[in-house]
Amino acid sequence: MSGNTITHQTAAAGERIGSTRVAPVTYHRAARELGLRRSEFDLAVHLGRVRTVPDEGGGGRRVPRDEIDRIRTADGFPEVLRAAVRVVGTAQGAALMDVTTARFTRLARLGLLVPVKFYVNRYRAVVWLYLAEELRQFKADERNTALLTGRTPGGLRDQLGEGLDLRPRNWRGRHLGFLLRQAHDPWARAAAVASLLDAAEVSDVVTDPYERSHLRRFRPAPVPHGSPGSPAAQVAEEIVTAADPDEVDWLRSDLAAAVDAARLHRPAPRPAAAAHAPAVPVPHGPDPVPRERAKPEPPAAEHPTPREVERPGRLSGIFGRLWRRDC
């Protein structure tokens, strides 16, 4: 074997080692190297504190090696990172801000404290979680002193008495921001907006069945809460789906604009026969086209579902009662 061959093999081995070293790593490994629990790591990604990239093999997202090195060499690591992703519930949050739990809940329902996570406990009650860092910042701001110690203004008290609760809406807005940051394709951005709307609303805005089918390909994974169809999952679905009329109108407008942008970027795929079919009414009577050459039907999944035909009430009685509980 010649010396040149040995040199070539050694260099190739070095390249393989180097490529392994710089290759993006899985979430599990990145969390371990950053000293975070998986839930803490997921929240760090959600907040944009950890940069991720799409997996070239189509296996989700990964974390670049240089991103892990950047975080590990930052001042105050790992304490600063752990503090940034620490979440607290109502009782802990109230203690952190030195207020009663009742006042804390009122501030959250008024939209002044924005939850970052939620879960449904075994009693089917929604438990909201907040970033401890944001609560400390709210308390330190002198403009909020009256809200923490004084009497709630009469107008705000009236709104609370009428059932105002902006926690679900504020969480949806925060969640949409995360989904849009993760979307690197115009269709994925449109799908992120669509994920917060009822299926009937999406069908009303996006009338083309092939575009709706394409949107579903990019639909973000649902927020996991209980097994599918369970009471916890149903409550979570109510929270994820926009309910307020003005919020629905805003999302519908955003979805229409996002689909327009995606259509210009790359039209949704469709069968060739459908793409070139003339836009003329279909005549009544026997179909003269041979069966094997008939125009393909839209995707079967696009036939109206019971949810699309008959939209149930946004908030069921039991869900309204759950929200009225101070969690």
Side-chain angles (χ1 to χ4, degrees):
M1 180 179 293
S2 67
N4 289 339
T5 302
I6 295 175
T7 302
H8 174 74
Q9 291 178 340
T10 302
E15 290 177 0
R16 287 194 298 271
I17 295 174
S19 62
T20 301
R21 168 63 182 167
V22 300
V25 301
T26 64
Y27 277 19
H28 179 75
R29 179 170 178 177
R32 185 173 68 248
E33 294 192 20
L34 294 176
L36 298 175
R37 295 191 296 270
R38 179 56 191 268
S39 60
E40 294 174 327
F41 176 82
D42 290 343
L43 182 56
V45 172
H46 189 124
L47 297 173
R49 293 185 174 272
V50 178
R51 180 175 61 90
T52 65
V53 295
D55 184 3
E56 295 181 356
R61 301 185 68 85
R62 291 179 175 253
V63 183
R65 171 57 59 182
D66 59 354
E67 178 69 359
I68 295 177
D69 294 340
R70 179 190 69 80
I71 297 172
R72 289 175 59 90
T73 56
D75 293 339
F77 177 84
E79 290 78 12
V80 172
L81 179 60
R82 288 173 179 164
V85 296
R86 183 192 170 206
V87 295
V88 295
T90 298
Q92 291 176 301
L96 186 63
M97 298 177 65
D98 197 21
V99 297
T100 64
T101 56
R103 183 182 290 270
F104 184 95
T105 300
R106 287 197 297 271
L107 293 173
R109 289 177 58 190
L110 289 168
L112 300 173
L113 305 176
V114 181
V116 71
K117 295 176 65 176
F118 75 91
Y119 67 90
V120 182
N121 66 17
R122 59 182 177 177
Y123 304 107
R124 303 178 188 175
V126 181
V127 179
W128 298 101
L129 299 175
Y130 307 82
L131 286 174
E133 183 179 34
E134 289 185 352
L135 300 184
R136 279 191 289 265
Q137 292 173 356
F138 187 92
K139 180 183 178 182
D141 192 335
E142 295 180 354
R143 294 172 296 181
N144 299 325
T145 301
L147 293 170
L148 297 175
T149 59
R151 182 176 175 82
T152 304
L156 297 181
R157 289 201 308 271
D158 292 342
Q159 293 183 57
L160 292 172
E162 294 171 358
L164 176 69
D165 190 348
L166 295 179
R167 289 175 294 184
R169 179 169 181 165
N170 282 342
W171 176 86
R172 284 192 294 270
R174 192 165 211 166
H175 185 61
L176 178 58
F178 162 68
L179 295 177
L180 292 176
R181 285 195 301 272
Q182 296 290 95
H184 296 285
D185 181 280
W187 283 104
R189 293 180 64 85
V193 179
S195 69
L196 300 184
L197 284 169
D198 184 270
E201 301 286 358
V202 176
S203 296
D204 193 38
V205 175
V206 187
T207 57
D208 188 313
Y210 295 104
E211 290 183 342
R212 289 200 302 271
S213 178
H214 198 49
L215 275 180
R216 283 197 295 272
R217 290 184 53 198
F218 291 91
R219 186 178 180 88
V223 179
H225 287 282
S227 57
S230 66
Q234 293 173 4
V235 171
E237 183 181 359
E238 293 279 4
I239 293 176
V240 172
T241 305
D244 300 328
D246 60 329
E247 181 187 7
V248 171
D249 290 342
W250 169 63
L251 288 171
R252 283 171 58 100
S253 177
D254 272 12
L255 175 60
V259 171
D260 284 343
R263 191 184 295 122
L264 291 174
H265 172 74
R266 184 183 63 253
R270 61 187 65 230
H276 299 289
V280 295
V282 178
H284 295 288
D287 186 356
V289 182
R291 181 177 301 273
E292 62 272 12
R293 298 181 57 192
K295 177 181 176 181
E297 291 290 334
E302 289 303 324
H303 290 299
T305 63
R307 181 177 180 84
E308 293 175 329
V309 175
E310 180 179 347
R311 294 173 56 194
R314 289 290 187 181
L315 300 177
S316 61
I318 184 173
F319 184 62
R321 292 196 296 273
L322 293 180
W323 270 5
R324 286 194 287 271
R325 297 180 59 177
D326 292 333
C327 301

